[in-house]
Amino acid sequence: MDIRTVGIVGAGQMGSGIAHVFALAGYEVLMADISREALDGAVASIERNLDRQASRGKISDADKAAALSRIRTTLTLTDLGPLDLIIEAATERETVKQAIFEDLRPHLKPHTILTSNTSSISITRLASRTDRPEKFMGFHFMNPVPVMQLVELIRGIATDEETYRTLLGVVERLGKTAASAEDFPAFIVNRILMPMINEAVYTLYEGVGNVKSIDESMKLGANHPMGPLELADFIGLDTCLAIMNVLHEGLADTKYRPCPLLTKYVEAGWLGRKTQRGFYDYRGPVPVPTR
């Protein structure tokens, strides 16, 4: 199937990044959100990021202008119905995702492929709430989308080969690399990454090290570009907790139990960079460890 038009549900960090790369690759993009402020902020963010790419010589000014001209926005979710491919990039809560797909259902064209950018939730279960489980897949981009090269493609139990091959072609056109994952909790990247972050929080919780020593140990001792607690703040502590809960509930293994300290930070509303406080305090000129 030839994908030409793409709908994106959600104008947050992931949704705007996905819109950016699709528009730059020549797709017509329609981005939907319940907030006009979020949509306007997403377009402004995309323009800034395109400017950055142009200033570094990675794209031309003409490429930037063409990409921006391909992006439209709407407050009406059902406007996405006639498009070839829909990517849900809303909050990591299954009830929200299910409601989005149910609202879209009466407005879809027969050929429309549905996907979710979920980082952990069962693709088979999400697909079962639609009228086209054979045309449903997990389409998991990494953050920040314009920079990161990997896309996880996750087939549900009913996903057909044509849908998989179509999305494989889309990933190639985006200039990214696809990793095929089976439909198990958190797939590949987060199945490995999130327990490491959770263990770093346990290391902090138990007093083995403070925020600075833990992050410096992993950056200088394991050559990680970012420490695990700094990375958790970048991802969002609420997202980290949600994924750990999916792992813990889905695999029923105590090794995936979320650290109580991670839960406390989320309860406090200290979610990382997006709230200006997490394992670091970002309200000043330099991030300061909070423990």
Side-chain angles (χ1 to χ4, degrees):
M1 179 183 165
D2 185 23
I3 303 293
R4 296 182 181 179
T5 56
V6 179
I8 297 166
V9 184
Q13 193 173 35
M14 292 304 295
S16 64
I18 294 167
H20 175 142
V21 298
F22 270 89
L24 201 54
Y27 293 95
E28 295 296 325
V29 175
L30 180 59
M31 185 164 41
D33 199 283
I34 57 173
S35 163
R36 170 51 60 190
E37 184 181 3
L39 288 167
D40 291 345
V43 173
S45 174
I46 292 167
E47 187 165 8
R48 284 194 303 272
N49 290 330
L50 288 168
D51 279 337
R52 190 177 297 115
Q53 287 180 305
S55 69
R56 294 173 180 172
K58 294 186 176 180
I59 63 172
S60 68
D61 288 337
D63 291 333
K64 174 199 161 186
L68 286 171
S69 73
R70 296 186 191 107
I71 299 173
R72 295 179 297 122
T73 62
T74 180
L75 293 169
T76 306
L77 176 66
T78 53
D79 287 349
L80 274 57
L83 306 182
D84 299 329
L85 169 65
I86 296 175
I87 304 167
E88 172 274 313
T91 187
E92 192 69 358
R93 292 208 306 272
E94 188 166 349
T95 52
V96 172
K97 296 179 186 296
Q98 287 174 345
I100 287 167
F101 291 123
E102 286 174 3
D103 287 348
L104 281 169
R105 182 173 178 170
H107 305 276
L108 300 173
K109 294 294 184 183
H111 70 273
T112 301
I113 292 176
L114 295 177
T115 68
S116 175
N117 185 55
T118 179
S119 50
S120 60
I121 296 169
S122 168
I123 298 304
T124 298
R125 197 162 61 238
L126 287 174
S128 72
R129 302 294 292 268
T130 74
D131 64 342
R132 60 196 66 209
E134 72 286 352
K135 290 186 177 297
F136 193 105
M137 278 195 71
F139 206 22
H140 182 216
F141 289 82
M142 306 296 128
N143 188 31
V145 181
V147 175
M148 302 297 280
Q149 288 301 302
L150 187 75
V151 181
E152 283 183 315
L153 290 181
I154 307 103
R155 279 184 276 201
I157 196 168
T159 306
D160 63 25
E161 186 67 16
E162 181 186 6
T163 300
Y164 171 72
R165 291 290 169 192
T166 297
L167 291 186
L168 196 60
V170 169
V171 174
E172 290 172 359
R173 181 171 163 184
L174 294 176
K176 296 189 180 294
T177 300
S180 297
E182 293 300 316
D183 186 21
F184 285 91
F187 320 129
I188 296 172
V189 173
N190 283 317
R191 172 76 177 263
I192 297 167
L193 175 64
M194 286 302 161
M196 183 196 76
I197 287 175
N198 194 52
E199 195 61 30
V201 183
Y202 266 114
T203 305
L204 179 65
Y205 178 61
E206 294 168 3
V208 180
N210 59 28
V211 169
K212 183 179 178 182
S213 63
I214 291 167
D215 277 352
E216 284 192 344
S217 293
M218 294 309 292
K219 285 192 285 188
L220 302 179
N223 205 29
H224 289 193
M226 190 182 292
L229 301 176
E230 183 186 4
L231 179 57
D233 276 358
F234 180 75
I235 294 167
L237 304 192
D238 52 339
T239 300
C240 294
L241 180 60
I243 296 170
M244 286 309 303
N245 280 326
V246 167
L247 281 166
H248 190 220
E249 293 162 11
L251 298 172
D253 192 324
T254 56
K255 73 180 180 180
Y256 298 115
R257 183 172 71 99
C259 179
L261 183 61
L262 178 60
T263 303
K264 285 295 180 190
Y265 268 71
V266 173
E267 288 174 344
W270 291 20
L271 308 181
R273 285 181 176 269
K274 61 187 173 185
T275 59
Q276 296 295 298
R277 280 192 290 186
F279 293 114
Y280 292 85
D281 189 326
Y282 299 92
R283 292 174 296 175
V286 177
V288 178
T290 54
R291 293 178 82 89

